[in-house]
Amino acid sequence: MRVFAQQLVRPAQYVALACYIVFLGFPLLWLVSASVKSSAELNSLVVNLLPQEWHWENYAEALARQGLVSSAGNSVLVALASTALVILIALPASYVLARLKGAIRVAGVGWILVSQVFPVILVILPLFLILRTIGLTDSLVGLTLVHTTYTMPFALWMLQGYVAAIPVDLEEAGAMDGGNRLVVLRRIVFPLLAPGVVATAMFSFVSSWNEFFFALVLLQSPENYTLPITLSTFIGGEGKVALGPLAAGSVLAAIPSIVFFSIMQKKLTGGLMAGAVKG
């Protein structure tokens, strides 16, 4: 009986994994299906996963919408820049949080916890006033700084967990071999942090790519709009929604993040113990 139960474990795991994949992928599949349906079919009470007629002109209409391509470029620029800033700042700061003791760590952890308490609606007004004072409202630079600031606490929390998981003995062994602090960090700690850095970069990119509220408040010029703002223009002034083109635009908007994930996921688990070997 026990052997029979063990034989059922692996098939049950595959079934659970398949159900989980379907659960995660169904919204995207439904979005792709909606992107090639006619307006009449989308507004119909009859629900079909596969469209009755394929309307590829929804993609042409979405691409023809003024500013969609340039907004995608703005979103890519802001997302990449904010991700780079988050990693550059969070990497050394997370090491300090994880390794040092005393007031610096207490203040850092306290800042992270407090920053997650306040909703966005409470911080947008002071952020807007600060950016207006330094002349960065309606600017991609200002939006990049806001995305970096808002993403930083959670990125710090993620990375300091990865740093804390690295044994201090490895650093001590590197120091005993003659390496100074910078050498130990570069050859031992940072290579071991590669999966954490990749995971944090993926989180930061997606957070910036999908962000809507900050961009809505801070950006006024259409040439500076990010992709979520431009997609919101598919809703007419009277609340009429162009569902087909909106779904097509949403599918196109998902492509850059999927490409970014496909590039980064290969490095997510690579080189986990490379630093220990080099040390």
Side-chain angles (χ1 to χ4, degrees):
M1 188 67 181
R2 184 177 180 181
V3 175
F4 179 73
Q6 291 177 349
Q7 292 176 348
L8 292 179
V9 171
R10 184 55 62 87
Q13 290 175 342
Y14 283 121
V15 171
L17 179 60
C19 293
Y20 184 65
I21 292 175
V22 171
F23 175 77
L24 292 180
F26 184 78
L28 181 59
L29 179 61
W30 188 268
L31 180 65
V32 173
S33 174
S35 69
V36 291
K37 289 182 178 179
S38 64
S39 297
E41 187 175 357
L42 287 171
N43 293 315
S44 175
L45 296 178
V46 180
V47 179
N48 295 315
L49 180 59
L50 296 178
Q52 297 175 353
E53 296 181 2
W54 298 75
H55 290 263
W56 296 102
E57 61 269 17
N58 288 334
Y59 285 90
E61 186 177 345
L63 290 172
R65 184 64 65 103
Q66 184 178 5
L68 185 68
V69 177
S70 62
S71 298
N74 292 338
S75 289
V76 170
L77 181 62
V78 171
L80 290 178
S82 61
T83 299
L85 286 175
V86 165
I87 296 302
L88 287 176
I89 299 173
L91 190 57
S94 62
Y95 181 83
V96 173
L97 281 177
R99 289 289 187 258
L100 296 185
K101 308 296 181 181
I104 295 179
R105 175 177 172 81
V106 173
V109 173
W111 171 67
I112 292 174
L113 296 177
V114 171
S115 64
Q116 301 302 303
V117 173
F118 297 101
V120 178
I121 193 67
L122 292 181
V123 300
I124 186 60
L125 181 58
L127 280 175
F128 179 83
L129 294 177
I130 292 172
L131 291 177
R132 188 181 64 177
T133 302
I134 60 179
L136 289 180
T137 55
D138 194 21
S139 166
L140 295 181
V141 175
L143 185 62
T144 300
L145 295 177
V146 170
H147 285 184
T148 302
T149 303
Y150 196 73
T151 309
M152 184 65 65
F154 193 77
L156 276 173
W157 192 258
M158 288 180 63
L159 274 179
Q160 69 91 25
Y162 280 94
V163 175
I166 299 176
V168 181
D169 295 342
L170 292 178
E171 299 180 44
E172 295 176 350
M176 291 180 62
D177 289 340
N180 56 34
R181 176 58 65 89
L182 291 179
V183 172
V184 171
L185 291 176
R186 180 174 59 86
R187 301 191 61 182
I188 297 178
V189 176
F190 289 163
L192 292 175
L193 281 178
V197 170
V198 173
T200 305
M202 294 167 69
F203 165 79
S204 301
F205 182 89
V206 145
S207 296
S208 178
W209 180 262
N210 293 329
E211 197 282 317
F212 175 78
F213 185 70
F214 287 133
L216 179 65
V217 175
L218 297 177
L219 302 178
Q220 289 84 42
S221 302
E223 62 269 17
N224 290 331
Y225 282 174
T226 55
L227 200 52
I229 303 300
T230 301
L231 288 176
S232 68
T233 62
F234 283 80
I235 302 176
E238 298 180 354
K240 184 178 180 181
V241 183
L243 292 176
L246 177 59
S250 300
V251 172
L252 294 175
I255 292 177
S257 58
I258 293 175
V259 172
F260 182 80
F261 266 68
S262 64
I263 294 174
M264 299 298 287
Q265 63 89 22
K266 297 180 180 178
K267 303 178 181 180
L268 186 58
T269 57
L272 185 60
M273 295 303 296
V277 175
K278 290 181 181 180

